[in-house]
Amino acid sequence: MHSVVERKCISYLVKKKKVSSKTVHQIKPENLVDVSLTNINNRSVSDSISKKMITNDDIDKIEQKVEHYNEDGSNNSGRKSTTRLGDVANRLKNICSAGIDAVSDGLGRATISNDNDDDDALFKDPPPKEDCPICMLPMPYVQDLGGVRTIYQPCCGKTLCWGCYFAEHEEVVKGNLKPWCSLCRVPSAYSEDEEVKRYKRRMDVNDAEAFYELGCLYYSGLEGLPKDLNKAVKLWKQAADLGSINAHCELADSYCAGNKGLEEDMEKADHHWKIAAIGGHEEARYMLGVRAGEIFNDDDAIKHYMISAKSGYDEALKLVGIWYKHGLATKDQYASTLRAYQDTVNEMKK
């Protein structure tokens, strides 16, 4: 089990591509100094340490690991060290001392610039949520997020929140409204077969969500359709090609778990999660945070968690809080995320 400061070192190495994300789990805590510090240049703190804080206690713990090495790189047993930890220890002291002097409270904070254009696009604020066409309140992609669910209307291709859908249904039951779609005024489908035909008519005009929803029906065997995983996956892929954010997340989850007729393929899962996250899917963004955390890329992980939480995703908010308690996120990061999360949830519930 790695300590917080050890995790920060690994995170730095992964970010700088000094350690492969595929082999990062092979790093043992007791060998961390050997692996990490030989890859840190004796330059300024801003060029040498990732976006984390290093305290006096952290320095003491790491120095204790290397104090038995002599300046020539040998240890007390006389055996030569291939990593020359004596020199490494001096470099560590210089780097950490510069960081401590940078702030009066004894905490050093440093940043590393990110020149990756793909990352710039990935970490942009997601687009605003789509509004329900009746109540005009924002709707999430994830069902039950903030207590909000949505339903697709195959007659006109519109998506409504369940609150408006059921309010209309109650008025129909009371006899106050005719059983028509409140948006396109088309009578409700009289049979399961008619409902499926409406999905297919929407597919004829390349409605991405129609492909996705029909795929879900085949997956679950609803509306009189047989369960057909191959058909479901084919429709989801078509929906994704047409731009369905829900379909991208569905495919990512399936590739990750190796189920629903797809073999496990984490490269494809990451690809679809990224597209869905850029499009605003709250859970897809959260999963990118999980993936980044698994390979110790903590800088990217906290960014993903914060964006997901600010979009209203509960699990992401919990993790931001946990990371704050363990020193992997700052107080400002947690506070701003909490405020944005509450604003988003309140906006959906107005």
Side-chain angles (χ1 to χ4, degrees):
M1 190 68 165
H2 297 98
S3 69
V4 172
V5 69
E6 288 167 343
R7 183 179 181 89
K8 291 174 183 177
C9 290
I10 296 177
S11 176
Y12 165 78
L13 292 172
V14 172
K15 194 72 174 178
K16 300 300 289 182
K17 298 181 180 179
K18 299 294 185 180
V19 175
S20 168
S21 60
K22 295 181 180 180
T23 60
V24 67
H25 293 287
Q26 299 175 12
I27 300 177
K28 296 179 181 180
E30 59 269 23
N31 296 330
L32 181 60
V33 175
D34 303 51
V35 176
S36 63
L37 297 179
T38 53
N39 289 289
I40 298 179
N41 290 327
N42 190 14
R43 297 182 296 175
S44 65
V45 180
S46 61
D47 292 327
S48 304
I49 311 176
S50 64
K51 295 180 180 177
K52 303 298 174 188
M53 293 188 295
I54 294 182
T55 67
N56 286 302
D57 291 340
D58 293 336
I59 297 170
D60 292 340
K61 290 178 182 178
I62 297 180
E63 286 182 343
Q64 288 174 7
K65 291 186 177 183
V66 297
E67 63 182 359
H68 63 287
Y69 283 88
N70 301 319
E71 289 296 329
D72 64 353
S74 63
N75 59 24
N76 291 334
S77 65
R79 189 178 61 182
K80 200 75 171 181
S81 168
T82 58
T83 56
R84 298 189 60 82
L85 285 188
D87 180 57
V88 168
N90 289 331
R91 278 194 269 161
L92 172 65
K93 293 176 183 178
N94 292 335
I95 292 171
C96 291
S97 295
I100 291 175
D101 293 339
V103 186
S104 59
D105 63 0
L107 296 178
R109 186 178 304 174
T111 62
I112 290 179
S113 61
N114 187 353
D115 297 326
N116 193 320
D117 292 336
D118 292 337
D119 283 355
D120 291 341
L122 182 60
F123 292 112
K124 285 183 178 179
D125 290 336
K129 299 181 188 299
E130 181 182 352
D131 291 338
C132 170
I134 296 179
C135 67
M136 301 306 295
L137 294 180
M139 300 179 296
Y141 281 104
V142 177
Q143 296 295 323
D144 287 324
L145 189 66
V148 179
R149 293 183 65 85
T150 60
I151 184 169
Y152 176 81
Q153 299 286 78
C155 50
C156 56
K158 301 295 184 181
T159 299
L160 309 177
C161 71
W162 275 60
C164 290
Y165 176 80
F166 280 110
E168 177 187 355
H169 179 71
E170 288 178 0
E171 293 302 312
V172 170
V173 172
K174 293 177 182 178
N176 297 330
L177 291 175
K178 292 183 179 181
W180 294 347
C181 172
S182 58
L183 297 172
C184 66
R185 313 308 293 170
V186 170
S188 301
Y190 56 84
S191 67
E192 291 179 336
D193 184 58
E194 173 61 23
E195 188 81 357
V196 172
K197 287 181 179 178
R198 292 185 177 185
Y199 282 106
K200 292 182 177 179
R201 282 196 289 269
R202 293 300 307 171
M203 290 165 60
D204 289 339
V205 295
N206 288 332
D207 184 337
E209 291 311 303
F211 281 88
Y212 168 70
E213 294 288 346
L214 189 60
C216 293
L217 295 180
Y218 272 109
Y219 173 72
S220 302
L222 299 176
E223 299 293 352
L225 296 173
K227 284 189 175 184
D228 190 331
L229 289 179
N230 292 331
K231 184 70 172 178
V233 170
K234 181 180 178 181
L235 288 167
W236 288 335
K237 288 182 177 179
Q238 290 176 291
D241 290 339
L242 290 170
S244 170
I245 299 302
N246 284 317
H248 278 294
C249 193
E250 192 75 53
L251 289 171
D253 292 344
S254 301
Y255 278 120
C256 176
N259 60 13
K260 299 180 183 179
L262 293 173
E263 294 183 0
E264 182 178 339
D265 189 328
M266 294 310 300
E267 185 175 347
K268 290 183 178 179
D270 290 338
H271 168 74
H272 287 289
W273 273 325
K274 286 180 180 179
I275 296 176
I278 291 173
H281 199 288
E282 304 87 0
E283 183 179 342
R285 178 67 68 176
Y286 169 80
M287 289 307 302
L288 289 181
V290 173
R291 291 285 290 149
E294 287 176 349
I295 60 171
F296 293 85
N297 190 344
D298 292 349
D299 286 345
D300 284 0
I302 191 60
K303 290 178 186 177
H304 287 305
Y305 289 145
M306 288 177 64
I307 294 174
S308 179
K310 290 178 179 180
S311 298
Y313 199 64
D314 295 352
E315 292 302 315
L317 179 65
K318 292 177 183 177
L319 278 179
V320 174
I322 292 173
W323 280 44
Y324 165 60
K325 290 179 181 178
H326 287 81
L328 296 172
T330 67
K331 183 178 180 179
D332 287 343
Q333 285 177 322
Y334 182 44
S336 64
T337 301
L338 184 59
R339 286 193 296 268
Y341 165 85
Q342 197 60 59
D343 289 344
T344 298
V345 172
N346 290 340
E347 184 66 22
M348 290 190 291
K349 289 183 176 181
K350 283 183 179 178

